[in-house]
Amino acid sequence: MKQSFGEKLKALFSKSSSINEDFFEDLTDMLVEGDIGAKTAFEVVDELESICDKEKINDQAGIVAKLKELLLRDVRAVSLAPEAGKQNVWMMLGVNGVGKTTTAAKLAKYFKNNGTENIVLASADTFRAAAIEQLALHGERLGVRVVSHQHGSDPSAVVYDAADALRASGPGMVIADTAGRLHNKENLVRELQKIDRTCSLKADEGCYKKILVIDATTGQNALRQAEVFNEAVKIDAIIMTKYDSTAKGGVAVSIGRELGLPVAFVCTGEAYENIQPFNAESYIDDFLTM
Ligand SMILES: Nc1nc2c(ncn2[C@@H]2O[C@H](COP(=O)(O)OP(=O)(O)O)[C@@H](O)[C@H]2O)c(=O)[nH]1
Ligand SMILES: [Mg+2]
């Protein structure tokens, strides 16, 4: 694996004899390489430089502490859980391959373990036959009901039926997997808005959540995806996957700074257990020191 930001930061401090313009330039490059995004990196380092100058900070610990403070200001975390006694509907969004189906299954297990007994997975990715089978298999393994229609059918109808199935068996949550087609923005927007209407109709007030799944290894592409999906249907929270497969992972900073979107969970592997609530402080600590 390539050098992480933390390793590079250590190397930068040991090679720099003084904290000067070159140091801050190198630091900017490193932040860009760490997937913070160019705009955010330049702005943050400009601010860091003027703070260090004003407050006469020139030691490693002092600079890292200030950098942490500045990055932490941009990262947003949100704690997300289904409301007990209510009809909750969560829609999983994101482009192909980011981990929507896997994460839907992980969430089902996570909330089942945390006391939400009634969970229905909705196979609203009707675009690929394999997606329906994949979710069915997860449901079998986890002992969670899955509602699906035929390949090619209307995803909104699947969510509709899943929500009815849930209501018939008491309060709980529907987790809807969706297709991640980004081939054509207008089509995506139209399709999502239709599912969106069904979900808001079927969920109790305040219990419908739109969750965007992003792949931490895709860097700034994830920021662009967040922009597109957030424009189409307002996103409530982000789940960041494949955090185990990247030495970068700084994209949550630019998503927070540019779009104000919070992260709810982070996934660190393919197993059901590899999901944790997102903690902004330990995320930034990891980023700076790993
Ligand atoms: N290493 C790793 N792989 C993951 C993670 N989440 C999902 N994957 C893998 O990413 C691939 C695509 O996942 P899938 O759920 O099918 O993506 P979808 O197309 O968005 O539904 C699968 O091979 C998953 O096992 C994660 O957190 N870490
Ligand atoms: Mg899928």
Side-chain angles (χ1 to χ4, degrees):
M1 208 184 261
K2 279 202 189 147
Q3 238 188 348
S4 69
F5 178 82
E7 287 164 339
K8 287 185 199 158
L9 189 61
K10 246 181 260 158
L12 177 62
F13 276 111
S14 59
K15 86 162 200 214
S16 306
S17 43
S18 68
I19 303 304
N20 51 24
E21 236 164 77
D22 285 349
F23 171 88
F24 286 109
E25 237 168 66
D26 286 351
L27 183 63
T28 309
D29 288 344
M30 285 163 36
L31 284 169
V32 175
E33 284 163 22
D35 283 342
I36 292 281
K39 184 168 176 281
T40 302
F42 276 96
E43 289 169 1
V44 165
V45 174
D46 266 355
E47 199 175 346
L48 179 68
E49 192 171 355
S50 74
I51 291 171
C52 289
D53 190 46
K54 220 186 302 161
E55 299 179 14
K56 309 258 172 302
I57 300 169
N58 53 21
D59 63 303
Q60 181 168 346
I63 293 171
V64 172
K66 275 294 162 202
L67 180 58
K68 177 179 167 179
E69 210 179 290
L70 292 180
L71 293 175
L72 206 49
R73 199 185 48 184
D74 291 329
V75 184
R76 288 176 176 54
V78 64
S79 159
L80 219 57
E83 218 178 297
K86 294 278 169 86
Q87 172 106 345
N88 296 270
V89 178
W90 287 18
M91 174 159 69
M92 311 299 291
L93 299 159
V95 303
N96 233 334
V98 290
K100 288 179 299 300
T101 306
T102 310
T103 307
K106 285 177 181 174
L107 286 174
K109 173 156 193 200
Y110 182 87
F111 288 121
K112 201 177 163 205
N113 288 349
N114 283 289
T116 306
E117 275 160 37
N118 199 13
I119 298 180
V120 176
L121 285 162
S123 238
D125 178 357
T126 60
F127 186 62
R128 291 178 316 131
I132 299 173
E133 286 160 27
Q134 193 187 350
L135 201 65
L137 191 62
H138 284 307
E140 232 167 78
R141 284 190 192 138
L142 295 172
V144 171
R145 276 187 297 166
V146 180
V147 169
S148 62
H149 290 183
Q150 263 176 353
H151 171 217
S153 62
D154 183 350
S156 299
V158 181
V159 175
Y160 195 97
D161 279 354
D164 278 354
L166 179 73
R167 198 175 286 283
S169 48
M173 78 188 298
V174 168
I175 305 173
D177 189 22
T178 65
R181 286 186 291 161
L182 204 54
H183 60 300
N184 168 325
K185 203 171 145 187
E186 268 108 74
N187 275 354
L188 173 91
V189 170
R190 216 174 308 125
E191 187 171 300
L192 287 184
Q193 287 174 343
K194 191 171 169 200
I195 308 177
D196 189 41
R197 272 194 301 274
T198 306
C199 291
S200 36
L201 189 77
K202 287 294 188 180
D204 284 339
E205 203 178 330
C207 298
Y208 168 34
K209 300 291 175 202
K210 286 162 271 190
I211 297 166
L212 181 71
V213 180
I214 60 162
D215 174 342
T217 66
T218 62
Q220 288 295 295
N221 276 330
L223 173 64
R224 279 185 287 280
Q225 290 158 18
E227 268 165 1
V228 171
F229 278 93
N230 195 39
E231 240 176 71
V233 287
K234 266 190 70 43
I235 298 296
D236 293 298
I238 302 267
I239 295 184
M240 188 160 61
T241 62
K242 308 188 196 182
Y243 195 57
D244 53 304
S245 310
T246 179
K248 302 171 167 188
V251 69
V253 177
S254 48
I255 288 180
R257 187 181 178 97
E258 304 277 319
L259 305 173
L261 292 177
V263 183
F265 289 93
V266 58
C267 297
T268 52
E270 297 185 82
Y272 292 127
E273 295 72 31
N274 298 145
I275 185 165
Q276 295 91 38
F278 178 76
N279 178 300
E281 183 150 7
S282 53
Y283 166 72
I284 293 298
D285 277 340
D286 279 358
F287 181 74
L288 292 172
T289 58
M290 287 270 271

